[in-house]
PDB file of all heavy atoms in Angstrom:
ATOM      1  N   PHE A 190     -33.303  33.322   2.400  1.00 99.00           N
ATOM      2  CA  PHE A 190     -33.324  34.846   2.558  1.00 99.00           C
ATOM      3  C   PHE A 190     -32.292  35.476   1.596  1.00 99.00           C
ATOM      4  O   PHE A 190     -32.492  36.538   1.087  1.00 99.00           O
ATOM      5  CB  PHE A 190     -33.021  35.253   4.038  1.00 99.00           C
ATOM      6  CG  PHE A 190     -34.301  35.405   4.759  1.00 99.00           C
ATOM      7  CD1 PHE A 190     -34.885  34.383   5.442  1.00 99.00           C
ATOM      8  CD2 PHE A 190     -34.895  36.712   4.943  1.00 99.00           C
ATOM      9  CE1 PHE A 190     -36.053  34.537   6.150  1.00 99.00           C
ATOM     10  CE2 PHE A 190     -36.040  36.889   5.623  1.00 99.00           C
ATOM     11  CZ  PHE A 190     -36.676  35.830   6.264  1.00 99.00           C
ATOM     12  N   LEU A 191     -31.208  34.770   1.430  1.00 98.00           N
ATOM     13  CA  LEU A 191     -30.064  35.297   0.553  1.00 98.00           C
ATOM     14  C   LEU A 191     -30.521  35.399  -0.926  1.00 98.00           C
ATOM     15  O   LEU A 191     -30.012  36.338  -1.623  1.00 98.00           O
ATOM     16  CB  LEU A 191     -28.803  34.484   0.603  1.00 98.00           C
ATOM     17  CG  LEU A 191     -27.991  34.486   1.952  1.00 98.00           C
ATOM     18  CD1 LEU A 191     -26.872  33.470   1.898  1.00 98.00           C
ATOM     19  CD2 LEU A 191     -27.566  35.831   2.298  1.00 98.00           C
ATOM     20  N   ARG A 192     -31.323  34.459  -1.345  1.00 98.00           N
ATOM     21  CA  ARG A 192     -31.523  34.284  -2.828  1.00 98.00           C
ATOM     22  C   ARG A 192     -32.740  35.044  -3.409  1.00 98.00           C
ATOM     23  O   ARG A 192     -33.848  34.968  -2.748  1.00 98.00           O
ATOM     24  CB  ARG A 192     -31.646  32.884  -3.165  1.00 98.00           C
ATOM     25  CG  ARG A 192     -30.658  31.864  -2.586  1.00 98.00           C
ATOM     26  CD  ARG A 192     -29.369  31.965  -3.146  1.00 98.00           C
ATOM     27  NE  ARG A 192     -28.541  30.771  -2.767  1.00 98.00           N
ATOM     28  CZ  ARG A 192     -27.713  30.078  -3.511  1.00 98.00           C
ATOM     29  NH1 ARG A 192     -27.753  30.298  -4.795  1.00 98.00           N
ATOM     30  NH2 ARG A 192     -27.095  29.101  -3.029  1.00 98.00           N
ATOM     31  N   ASP A 193     -32.634  35.599  -4.507  1.00 98.00           N
ATOM     32  CA  ASP A 193     -33.755  36.366  -5.086  1.00 98.00           C
ATOM     33  C   ASP A 193     -34.809  35.490  -5.633  1.00 98.00           C
ATOM     34  O   ASP A 193     -35.872  35.965  -5.957  1.00 98.00           O
ATOM     35  CB  ASP A 193     -33.293  37.432  -6.050  1.00 98.00           C
ATOM     36  CG  ASP A 193     -32.515  36.971  -7.251  1.00 98.00           C
ATOM     37  OD1 ASP A 193     -32.560  35.692  -7.502  1.00 98.00           O
ATOM     38  OD2 ASP A 193     -31.772  37.751  -7.936  1.00 98.00           O
ATOM     39  N   LYS A 194     -34.604  34.181  -5.788  1.00 98.00           N
ATOM     40  CA  LYS A 194     -35.637  33.230  -6.265  1.00 98.00           C
ATOM     41  C   LYS A 194     -36.681  32.988  -5.137  1.00 98.00           C
ATOM     42  O   LYS A 194     -37.902  32.841  -5.365  1.00 98.00           O
ATOM     43  CB  LYS A 194     -35.111  31.923  -6.665  1.00 98.00           C
ATOM     44  CG  LYS A 194     -36.110  30.912  -7.188  1.00 98.00           C
ATOM     45  CD  LYS A 194     -35.566  29.564  -7.668  1.00 98.00           C
ATOM     46  CE  LYS A 194     -36.700  28.644  -8.044  1.00 98.00           C
ATOM     47  NZ  LYS A 194     -36.102  27.429  -8.657  1.00 98.00           N
ATOM     48  N   THR A 195     -36.179  32.946  -3.906  1.00 98.00           N
ATOM     49  CA  THR A 195     -36.996  32.625  -2.732  1.00 98.00           C
ATOM     50  C   THR A 195     -37.323  33.836  -1.908  1.00 98.00           C
ATOM     51  O   THR A 195     -38.237  33.686  -1.074  1.00 98.00           O
ATOM     52  CB  THR A 195     -36.347  31.538  -1.904  1.00 98.00           C
ATOM     53  OG1 THR A 195     -34.969  31.929  -1.726  1.00 98.00           O
ATOM     54  CG2 THR A 195     -36.437  30.212  -2.595  1.00 98.00           C
ATOM     55  N   ASN A 196     -36.581  34.934  -2.025  1.00 98.00           N
ATOM     56  CA  ASN A 196     -36.845  36.105  -1.153  1.00 98.00           C
ATOM     57  C   ASN A 196     -37.373  37.198  -2.057  1.00 98.00           C
ATOM     58  O   ASN A 196     -36.742  37.865  -2.850  1.00 98.00           O
ATOM     59  CB  ASN A 196     -35.529  36.565  -0.524  1.00 98.00           C
ATOM     60  CG  ASN A 196     -35.790  37.692   0.411  1.00 98.00           C
ATOM     61  OD1 ASN A 196     -36.831  38.399   0.411  1.00 98.00           O
ATOM     62  ND2 ASN A 196     -34.771  37.983   1.258  1.00 98.00           N
ATOM     63  N   LEU A 197     -38.748  37.302  -1.925  1.00 98.00           N
ATOM     64  CA  LEU A 197     -39.455  38.404  -2.744  1.00 98.00           C
ATOM     65  C   LEU A 197     -39.968  39.528  -1.885  1.00 98.00           C
ATOM     66  O   LEU A 197     -40.833  40.335  -2.245  1.00 98.00           O
ATOM     67  CB  LEU A 197     -40.678  37.753  -3.381  1.00 98.00           C
ATOM     68  CG  LEU A 197     -40.405  36.446  -4.277  1.00 98.00           C
ATOM     69  CD1 LEU A 197     -41.731  35.890  -4.816  1.00 98.00           C
ATOM     70  CD2 LEU A 197     -39.338  36.676  -5.271  1.00 98.00           C
TER      71      LEU A 197
END
Side-chain angles (χ1 to χ4, degrees):
F190 267 86
L191 290 177
R192 314 286 193 135
D193 57 17
K194 178 177 180 177
T195 45
N196 185 343
L197 310 180

